[in-house]
Amino acid sequence: MPASAARSRRRTPGQIARGVRRRARRAAGRLRRSWRRSLQFRVVTSTLVLSMAVVVVLGVFLMQSITASVLQGAVQSAREEARANVTTAIGYLTPPSPDLTDALPDGDAEGEAGDLVGEAVDALGDRSGGRYDIVTFNESKVGQARATGAIDWSSVPDALRAKVQRSEEGVLVEQNTKLRYLGDRQRVSGIVIGARVNGTYEIYHLFPLGEVETTLLAVQRIVIGAGAALVLLLAGIASLVTRQVVTPVRLARQAAERLAAGRLEERLKVRGEDDLARLAASFNEMASNLALKIHQLEELSQVQRQFVSDVSHELRTPLTTVRMAADLLYESREDFDPAAARSAELMQNQLERFESMLADLLEISRHDAGAATLDLEPADMRDVVLRAIGDSEALAERQSTRFELRLPSEPCVAEVDSRRVERILRNLLFNAIEHGEGRDIVVTLGADRDAVAVAVRDHGVGLKPGEEMMVFDRFWRADPSRARTIGGTGLGLAISREDAMLHGGWLQAWGSPGEGSQFRLSLPRAAGAPLRGSPLPLVPPEVEMRRSWRGHGTPVLAPAIGVIAEVGIGVRETSDAGGFDVP
């Protein structure tokens, strides 16, 4: 590999840091998901953390107690040893009588004092057995000192010597320090206990505490190991105990999911007589009752659907006869007196409404029974919209309403059942005419690569918050006291939603009091393809612009609209060369 390629592949410290952060975030994300989704993980983790906290607290307390006990025992033993040695040293370091000292030459007197120190150190050193060292100073003779073993005299701190020199005869003074030895021997922790003897002598006992520290370190390792083993053991016990509880709960969850998916025969195995067994028994009883109720509701629903279908079919025969008689009376109404002629007109209108309601009842019963099918074929949605507009023009003229069409210049081909889609659009247009209060109705067609959409916008009374879904309920009215001005059956929007869902599409509503409403039909271009979005916004763009102005104080540019031309009576068409492709 060339050196330049190797250098290009070499990662910089920043890249390494970013990679580490990404891995850390992924690991943290996995832990968060496990924490949220796994009860056993939460229980084991909580037990582990709490056990660690308890073990740490107890371990620290135990180590402090052991350390204090061991050190206190070692120091107390050192004090007793030092006190006994000081008593022994008093006999060795008793200076000679003044008469004898005056009779000896100066050199012999000094030698005699040195021999006393040496004899005391040798005697005390024999008693130590190597467990400690002794250093003795003669305060009156500079440089006259003795020590046992390889101890360095400088191990005795100057501050301790000053305290000993100021202390009373035979009083023990101690200090912790580092003991130094001659040669390559390492320094160790220790305690130095000193006392003043016979006025001019200082005797110091140097006790090393290395063995005590080694013992404490070993005890500390044992405590840490035992604590870690205890924590892991508690975590394992918590995992086993939690599994005994979580496993039945998981089985119950899986059974509930299968029950919700329609497998009403799903049941749990009952083992024992504990709380979990009673929970399983209660779950099975609930599932049995639920299956029974669902079966009863299905039978009732089937009976109701069959009743509606049978009644609708049975009504067709007398309705046909009545229709023939009504048509005959309606055609002869000019020969009747005004009251009879008006009655013939009213009967004709109500029969038309009754026929529409009967057709809607038959259609909704087919949807309820799952017998509705699609006759799919490729169709240009522009033609479908224009046919629906043509069917609604007569009603729009009676209500003094005009249509404004916004159609793309390019074909919008989709695999749809044209009859059902036209019926959806007619229902939307009739609803807009009824509630539009005579204002213009905007019909917009948009398409993208995967979907087509038609939006019907009116500027009437609008919808209150929460009515966007209720408007598709059967026989629902926003104002129950308001009569249907165009003779609707109350099932049009419900059937439209069923037709949209049959296509795998959406039928959605938006509305606001005083700003009108908009219904949007979104369909996939290919039959059976999933619908992931709509090419048209549900909220009208002008409403969004007003909200943006009020919210930010800055105008938002609207989409470019082409030339508006008159097409037919009461219809305006807007050509948008670019279409409406709003994600």
Side-chain angles (χ1 to χ4, degrees):
M1 181 183 295
S4 59
R7 285 194 299 270
S8 63
R9 291 195 172 192
R10 190 175 302 160
R11 300 178 65 186
T12 63
Q15 292 174 339
I16 295 174
R18 286 193 294 272
V20 171
R21 285 196 296 270
R22 283 195 299 270
R23 293 188 181 91
R25 284 195 296 269
R26 284 196 293 267
R30 286 193 293 268
L31 288 175
R32 284 195 296 269
R33 286 193 296 272
S34 299
W35 179 266
R36 290 195 303 268
R37 301 180 61 180
S38 177
L39 175 62
Q40 185 176 8
F41 179 76
R42 289 202 300 270
V43 172
V44 172
T45 303
S46 301
T47 303
L48 189 63
V49 172
L50 294 176
S51 300
M52 289 178 60
V54 172
V55 168
V56 168
V57 172
L58 291 179
V60 171
F61 176 76
L62 184 62
M63 281 304 303
Q64 290 178 348
S65 301
I66 294 175
T67 301
S69 177
V70 172
L71 288 177
Q72 185 177 3
V75 171
Q76 186 63 29
S77 176
R79 289 171 182 165
E80 297 295 334
E81 194 82 23
R83 186 174 289 107
N85 289 340
V86 168
T87 302
T88 303
I90 292 176
Y92 286 95
L93 297 177
T94 301
S97 62
D99 296 337
L100 180 58
T101 301
D102 294 339
L104 293 175
D106 292 340
D108 294 341
E110 293 178 1
E112 183 68 21
D115 291 340
L116 292 176
V117 174
E119 290 177 0
V121 170
D122 292 339
L124 298 179
D126 293 339
R127 297 181 58 180
S128 68
R131 292 179 290 107
Y132 55 88
D133 294 298
I134 297 175
V135 176
T136 305
F137 294 98
N138 187 353
E139 184 180 347
S140 62
K141 301 295 183 179
V142 179
Q144 191 178 78
R146 296 288 189 276
T148 62
I151 193 69
D152 190 349
W153 296 351
S154 61
S155 297
V156 180
D158 294 337
L160 180 62
R161 290 198 63 187
K163 291 181 181 179
V164 170
Q165 292 171 2
R166 292 194 301 269
S167 65
E168 297 181 358
E169 184 80 14
V171 176
L172 299 180
V173 182
E174 62 185 50
Q175 180 178 339
N176 293 324
T177 186
K178 289 288 186 179
L179 303 183
R180 293 183 288 272
Y181 295 88
L182 301 177
D184 298 333
R185 189 173 173 182
Q186 294 182 351
R187 300 170 60 182
V188 297
S189 299
I191 183 172
V192 181
I193 302 176
R196 188 160 58 88
V197 179
N198 294 336
T200 60
Y201 298 99
E202 303 168 20
I203 183 169
Y204 297 93
H205 296 76
L206 294 83
F207 293 88
L209 300 178
E211 293 183 358
V212 175
E213 290 182 346
T214 303
T215 302
L216 292 176
L217 185 60
V219 172
Q220 183 179 4
R221 291 196 186 100
I222 293 174
V223 170
I224 293 175
L230 180 60
V231 169
L232 295 178
L233 182 61
L234 290 175
I237 293 174
S239 178
L240 292 176
V241 173
T242 308
R243 183 183 296 273
Q244 294 179 356
V245 178
V246 171
T247 299
V249 174
R250 288 177 179 172
L251 294 176
R253 175 185 60 82
Q254 295 170 1
E257 291 175 352
R258 290 191 290 267
L259 191 66
R263 298 173 58 179
L264 302 180
E265 72 282 356
E266 188 67 29
R267 297 295 183 271
L268 291 175
K269 293 182 180 180
V270 180
R271 298 185 180 91
E273 299 179 356
D274 56 5
D275 293 335
L276 294 176
R278 291 197 293 271
L279 174 63
S282 301
F283 178 87
N284 293 338
E285 184 179 358
M286 178 196 68
S288 300
N289 294 334
L290 182 62
L292 178 61
K293 293 296 183 183
I294 290 176
H295 182 67
Q296 293 175 351
L297 290 175
E298 287 178 349
E299 290 183 347
L300 178 60
S301 178
Q302 180 65 28
V303 170
Q304 290 177 342
R305 289 196 298 267
Q306 189 66 35
F307 175 77
V308 172
S309 178
D310 293 342
V311 169
S312 301
H313 283 289
E314 292 297 330
L315 286 177
R316 282 189 173 276
T317 300
L319 181 61
T320 303
T321 304
V322 174
R323 180 67 176 178
M324 294 173 60
D327 289 342
L328 181 60
L329 294 175
Y330 184 74
E331 291 174 358
S332 303
R333 68 184 183 280
E334 295 179 356
D335 300 333
F336 301 154
D337 58 85
R342 179 58 180 165
S343 298
E345 293 177 355
L346 291 176
M347 184 173 62
Q348 183 74 8
N349 293 334
Q350 292 304 316
L351 277 175
E352 291 178 354
R353 182 180 178 187
F354 186 69
E355 286 182 335
S356 299
M357 183 178 294
L358 187 60
D360 289 346
L361 284 173
L362 287 172
E363 186 65 26
I364 203 73
S365 65
R366 280 193 288 269
H367 280 293
D368 290 340
T373 58
L374 294 176
D375 186 11
L376 297 173
E377 60 180 359
D380 189 350
M381 290 297 295
R382 297 181 301 175
D383 298 335
V384 177
V385 171
L386 291 176
R387 287 197 295 269
I389 291 291
D391 294 340
S392 308
E393 274 188 320
L395 180 61
E397 288 181 3
R398 291 199 300 268
Q399 300 293 328
S400 301
T401 300
R402 296 169 61 89
F403 293 117
E404 179 182 334
L405 301 184
R406 297 178 180 178
L407 305 179
S409 58
E410 298 295 330
C412 300
V413 180
E415 295 182 8
V416 296
D417 187 337
S418 300
R419 179 182 65 86
R420 293 183 182 274
V421 174
E422 286 182 25
R423 182 169 61 190
I424 295 173
L425 296 179
R426 282 197 301 270
N427 287 328
L428 297 181
L429 292 172
F430 289 169
N431 182 76
I433 293 171
E434 182 176 6
H435 299 92
E437 298 184 341
R439 298 186 179 93
D440 289 354
I441 296 174
V442 181
V443 181
T444 306
L445 173 63
D448 57 18
R449 184 181 61 183
D450 301 320
V452 295
V454 181
V456 178
R457 167 84 161 101
D458 68 73
H459 300 81
V461 295
L463 296 173
K464 298 177 182 178
E467 294 182 348
E468 294 83 1
M469 294 301 298
M470 299 171 61
V471 73
F472 298 106
D473 293 342
R474 301 173 185 181
F475 302 107
W476 181 85
R477 292 186 186 182
D479 185 3
S481 62
R482 179 175 177 176
R484 301 186 187 275
T485 58
I486 62 174
T489 64
L491 295 173
L493 292 180
I495 295 175
S496 298
R497 182 176 62 175
E498 296 291 341
D499 285 336
M501 294 172 61
L502 195 61
H503 282 82
W506 306 332
L507 182 58
Q508 300 164 295
W510 168 88
S512 179
E515 294 185 338
S517 60
Q518 176 165 291
F519 289 78
R520 182 183 67 180
L521 172 65
S522 304
L523 302 173
R525 278 199 161 189
L531 186 61
R532 297 184 175 88
S534 179
L536 292 179
L538 181 59
V539 181
E542 65 272 14
V543 177
E544 287 290 352
M545 284 193 297
R546 286 197 296 270
R547 292 177 179 175
S548 300
W549 291 342
R550 288 193 294 265
H552 303 287
T554 303
V556 180
L557 297 179
I561 305 298
V563 179
I564 298 177
E566 295 287 342
V567 289
I569 300 177
V571 179
R572 291 188 299 168
E573 180 180 11
T574 300
S575 175
D576 182 8
F580 288 80
D581 188 6
V582 181

